[in-house]
Each structure stands twice: as C-alpha cells, then as structure tokens.
Amino acid sequence: MPRPSLDDLIGEAERRLSDAGIEAARGDAEQLAAHALGLPPHARPAPWTKLTEAEQARYTELVSRRAQRIPLGHLLCAATLGGVTVAVGPGVFVPRQHSELVLASGLDVLAGRENPLVVDLCTGSAAIALAVAHARPDATVHAVELDPNALEFARRNSAHQTSLGDTPITVHDADVTAPGLLAELAGTVDLVLANPPFVPESERLLPEYGVHHPKLAIFSGADGLHVIRHVVRLAAALLRPDGGLVVEHGHCHGQSVPDLLSTDAAFGAVSTHDYLDGRPLYTTANRTEAGAPERKEHAA
Ligand SMILES: C[S@@+](CC[C@H](N)C(=O)[O-])C[C@H]1O[C@@H](n2cnc3c(N)ncnc32)[C@H](O)[C@@H]1O
C-alpha cells in the first residue's frame, strides 16, 4: 500500500481533532506535523512529503494526545511571545497569543524611559519578562513566581535567553500575596506587568485549561480576583509616580478590575482594552502621586 502524503495525514488529523471538539483543528494538525518532522511549529513542508515510519508514528501519537485535549504548547514543548521562544511543558502555563497585546502595551509604557525598572508578577515560564528584556536590553527586569514547576521553566528559559545575548533577568521564588514583597524596589518601578490567575473557582473551562493546566495558574478564589487584588496593592507599592500597571484579566473581569483600580487613589488613567474578539482582555493604569512610597535610589 502506498504511503500517505503529508497532506493526507494532516487532513485525517484535522478530522480527528475537530471530532474531539478542537476549534483550530487545521492549525493544530499542521503544527503537530511540523513538530513530528523535527521542524519549527510554523514550518510548512511540501504537501506531497512522505513521512518515514518513525515520523508517522510520532505524528499519530501527538495527534492522539492533542485529541485528549492536552494543550498544543505542552506537545510542542515551546511557545513564542514577543519574538522569544520559551520552553513549556506540563506544570507550567502556556503563554497565550493574547498576551502579545499586554506585552505591547507594557512596552508602550517604557517608550521614552531610559534604563527602566520592570516587574512581571506571576511570571510562569517568564515569557513576558523575557520578552521585555529582549525588546529593551537597557531594562532591569524582575520576575516573580511561586510554583516550583513554573520556576524551573522560568529559570531555564532565563538562562537560555542570557546565553543568546539578552540582558539577564532576576527570577524571584515568591508569593505576590506576601506582605512587603520586593520592598527594596518600593516607589522606583516604571512598569508592573501581570498575567495572574483570574478565573473564578466555579467556572467550567475547556479541558486544556480546566484539566491540563495547574490550578494555581488558572483559578483565583470564588470571584477570580484574589490574586489580582494583591497584584494591584503590590503594584501601588512598587510603582513610581507615573509608572504604569498592565494587568491581564480576560473577559471575566472587564468591569471588576477597572472598578478596583478606579476606586484606588493610587491609580489614575484607568483604561480597559479588548482582544480581537471584542471581549475585554487587560487593563492599564498609571500610578498617581497619592500616598506614593518614599523613593529609594534604583541602581540600573
Ligand atoms: C495565568 S498564568 C500566567 C503565566 C505567565 N505570566 C504567562 O502569561 O505565560 C499565572 C501564573 O501565576 C502563578 N501564580 C499564581 N498565584 C501566585 C502567587 N500568589 N504568587 C506568585 N505567582 C503566582 C501561577 O503559578 C502561574 O504560573
């Protein structure tokens, strides 16, 4: 029997993934095929390519696992944000394309600021922190994470980016809800970024998030705001007057996060921004002078 072409195999995989309820079945089938062939995820080998037996077996296995709703990023073992590719796998959140907008908004805050000081809270794989360091080599970047699995990825990714020539970042093993965190930076930070867990505990999610991601990365108390409340308080303490906060919160909190920030005298210029689907994605705010902590000198 003649061996099927790559095009045939991708078509079959697309049907299988679509039957498993995966929306972007074609794209996933194509990226998994590239991975099975040892190519970067967005490479497109010729459709008439014949896979070796080993490659075909690898592809079949990857497609079966994706059909079990294992996140695509965990199967590809990598995700890209802001031109930086980070290693990911079971136990760490897979950075989402949505966060490109959060990153871009953070980089806008830094425009015109030299040697800025940046803190990425709830950093996971450190994708956002590393993307900032990549775009702004003059920045001093701190990243905070408390899950040991995520920390391992963050440290590995950080070492890898340094080996490629990016400015090293500092990864802190810490809980953003802990009082006095990063007190040595109080009142000096130009930008606080955060993509924290924000889903209410009772919410049902796609299995990729509800089953195959660590709960700590996704859920945040009954109303989904537990960690975000701490992120806001910590940002108020860390930011210098006119420093910027960019916090991702998804459509769950299109009203509650802007309300939280608008009623806090530490913040002004509160603005919520939508994703391409028209649903709220993240909120930005500027640190006002109100109750600003005494500034310490920041060594760049
Ligand atoms: C939605 S994931 C986002 C990860 C990363 N920022 C990204 O966009 O890929 C949230 C991360 O926050 C971490 N996290 C949850 N609670 C935390 C806390 N109290 N302190 C520090 N990190 C926390 C989780 O372990 C997880 O890695």
Side-chain angles (χ1 to χ4, degrees):
M1 200 164 112
R3 275 191 293 143
S5 68
L6 181 62
D7 202 39
D8 294 334
L9 291 172
I10 289 177
E12 200 182 298
E14 180 185 359
R15 280 188 292 281
R16 189 151 174 217
L17 297 182
S18 183
D19 288 348
I22 292 167
E23 257 181 44
R26 180 75 190 185
D28 285 15
E30 288 175 349
Q31 292 191 55
L32 290 172
H35 188 60
L37 287 164
L39 300 169
H42 294 288
R44 289 288 165 269
W48 51 84
T49 303
K50 303 279 186 194
L51 276 62
T52 64
E53 253 178 54
E55 287 165 344
Q56 196 173 325
R58 198 153 55 232
Y59 187 41
T60 305
E61 169 68 11
L62 285 166
V63 171
S64 311
R65 292 173 66 204
R66 184 69 190 102
Q68 292 160 26
R69 307 299 298 265
I70 293 173
L72 181 68
H74 286 169
L75 297 172
L76 300 176
C77 308
T80 300
L81 190 77
V84 169
T85 298
V86 290
V88 290
V92 71
F93 186 81
V94 180
R96 298 192 307 160
Q97 207 179 19
H98 301 58
S99 300
E100 293 282 1
L101 297 178
V102 172
L103 170 66
S105 178
L107 293 175
D108 280 351
V109 171
L110 299 185
R113 300 182 195 229
E114 283 178 17
N115 305 315
L117 184 53
V118 180
V119 176
D120 176 31
L121 300 174
C122 300
T123 198
S125 63
I128 294 176
L130 292 170
V132 171
H134 187 65
R136 289 292 304 261
D138 63 329
T140 300
V141 181
H142 294 263
V144 179
E145 173 59 53
L146 100 163
D147 182 303
N149 292 317
L151 272 167
E152 207 174 306
F153 280 99
R155 294 207 166 105
R156 174 146 55 107
N157 289 325
S158 162
H160 180 64
Q161 282 310 115
T162 304
S163 77
L164 296 179
D166 281 359
T167 308
I169 67 166
T170 306
V171 177
H172 300 262
D173 174 358
D175 182 342
V176 301
T177 71
L181 183 65
L182 299 179
E184 66 282 10
L185 303 181
T188 65
V189 174
D190 293 285
L191 169 67
V192 172
L193 286 153
N195 177 19
F198 54 70
V199 179
E201 262 152 18
S202 58
E203 195 148 316
R204 283 178 60 88
L205 298 174
L206 297 176
E208 283 83 347
Y209 293 100
V211 178
H212 295 292
H213 265 89
K215 300 230 171 313
L216 195 60
I218 306 293
F219 298 101
S220 186
D223 64 358
L225 288 170
H226 173 70
V227 176
I228 286 187
R229 283 193 191 91
H230 285 278
V231 163
V232 168
R233 286 325 308 152
L234 182 54
L238 294 177
L239 287 169
R240 64 195 307 162
D242 208 35
L245 168 65
V246 183
V247 59
E248 186 167 337
H249 49 66
H251 65 275
C252 305
H253 304 297
Q255 194 58 48
S256 44
V257 172
D259 282 353
L260 198 65
L261 286 160
S262 301
T263 52
D264 188 328
F267 292 99
V270 176
S271 173
T272 298
H273 309 260
D274 294 343
Y275 187 57
L276 307 174
D277 60 7
R279 300 201 294 175
L281 176 65
Y282 68 98
T283 293
T284 53
N286 280 358
R287 181 70 169 95
T288 60
E289 293 276 353
E294 202 182 314
R295 278 174 63 170
K296 304 199 172 124
E297 280 314 305
H298 144 231

